[in-house]
Every structure is written in C-alpha cells, then in structure tokens.
Amino acid sequence: MLYLIFGSSGGLGSNLVKFFKKDKKNVKGLDISASAYTDYLIDFNDTKKLISLVKEICLPYEMAICCIYCAIPNNRIRGGDILENYIIKENNLITLQFNSLLAIACALESIQDMNAEKNSKIFKSNLISIGSVLSNKVSLVESPLYPASKAASLSLIKYLSLKLSKKQINCNTISPGLMARNEKSKKFLEDRLSRFKKNIGITNYEEIYQTIIYISNSNLNSLRGKNIVLDDGLGD
C-alpha cells in the first residue's frame, strides 16, 4: 500500500511520516511548506494541479492507496484578538479544506477508473481525514472556523463514502482529542488542562497511526463513512 500524507510538515503529519518510514511502509509527504518530511510541494488552492499530482504519484505504483488528510495551513492564519486569530487573509478555511479534500477524492476515483479501463487489478483504497477541534493554545479556546471546517469534512466524508464505495474506495474520519507528540508533550498538556479544569482526553500520535493502519488494512465493508472518535474528539 502507498500512503500519502497531506500536511507532512505539521506536527501530526511529520510524525505520521516517521512512523510509516520506521515500519518500512511506502509513504510520501505533501504540503505547502518544505520540510524533511515533505516529498512534494502542493497548493491547496489549485485543485486541478492537486488532482494531477496525486495521479502522477500513485499510478506508477499499481497498489492500494491510502490518502491521509491532516492538513490545515495554519501559517496563513493571522490576527490579533480571539476571533481574528482564525480569519485567513486570502481564503476561507472551510472552503479551502472542503475543496482540497474533494480534489483528493476525485483523484482516487480517477485512478480507479483508469485502472478499470486498462483491465488492471482494482485495489481497495482509502481516504482518511484527521483533525481535532481542540486547541492547546489561546487558553484552550477553540476557533470558530477550525471546528466548523472539521464538521464540514465529516459530512463530506459520509457523502464520499456513499459515492465511492462502488469504486472500492473507503472513506472515513478520525477525530482525536488533544494531540501529544510524546510523553513530555502529554505531561505539558495534562498540567495545562488541570489548571483550566478541563476534562479532555489526550491522544498520542502513535495511537492515530495505529488507527490508520487498522482502517487501511481492514477488509470490513462496514468500515466506511465512519467517524472514529479518540479521546473526546468531535463526535457525530
């Protein structure tokens, strides 16, 4: 299986790339920013180029594909007060996430159609959207746009699951609680939560990685269109 990580320069994305490489999996990182974990630079605004790039990467492999979307271009967020912190200067965050996630789904559908036309083997592929609506910044105040974008992706994934199931593409979401890079990060979040008297679960990156492995390798036909909640993440 080929794993594509969208948002590979961020905390979650870069750690997922490391886990996949450690387990000697085929993995490629994609993001708007260059990093040690980014193989391809992309522009989430240009959906046409995004579709073409995904097809260009995947077609030569002739194997199952798992696209993992954990990309929110936080470096484009600007502002001073609580609300302004979550206004993107050039793009609406919800539209940006919705369109780029839809573009990845279109690319997967096109790949399956091209393989069918060539009478090639049709591999079961996966599209997984990941995101927590919780923040460990700004005194644990959640942004108004960020959780809205995640709620939009939940509905989109359910729709895509119905539309793409006949193409052997399973679509699911993973909704973790607060995300910790390691034990030190987890301890920091636990201390911060106790000061604010917040009872919120903390998810390690490895738990997310293991959930991805389970989803992408499962032969359960019922495991599609699901929102898998980890540690108090966003429910349905």
Side-chain angles (χ1 to χ4, degrees), residues 166-186:
K166 293 181 179 179
K167 301 286 180 74
Q168 295 296 304
I169 302 171
N170 286 351
C171 304
N172 294 283
T173 55
I174 299 175
S175 297
L178 286 171
M179 291 183 281
R181 296 187 300 276
N182 48 41
E183 285 303 313
K184 183 178 179 180
S185 174
K186 183 178 180 181

Side-chain angles (χ1 to χ4, degrees), residues 157-202:
I157 286 292
K158 286 183 179 297
Y159 165 77
L160 291 173
S161 176
L162 293 172
K163 178 176 173 55
L164 299 178
S165 61
K166 293 181 179 179
K167 301 286 180 74
Q168 295 296 304
I169 302 171
N170 286 351
C171 304
N172 294 283
T173 55
I174 299 175
S175 297
L178 286 171
M179 291 183 281
R181 296 187 300 276
N182 48 41
E183 285 303 313
K184 183 178 179 180
S185 174
K186 183 178 180 181
K187 181 65 166 59
F188 168 79
L189 290 174
E190 287 173 342
D191 291 343
R192 191 177 181 89
L193 287 168
S194 65
R195 291 203 305 273
F196 288 98
K197 297 181 179 179
K198 298 279 187 178
N199 186 24
I200 299 170
I202 299 173

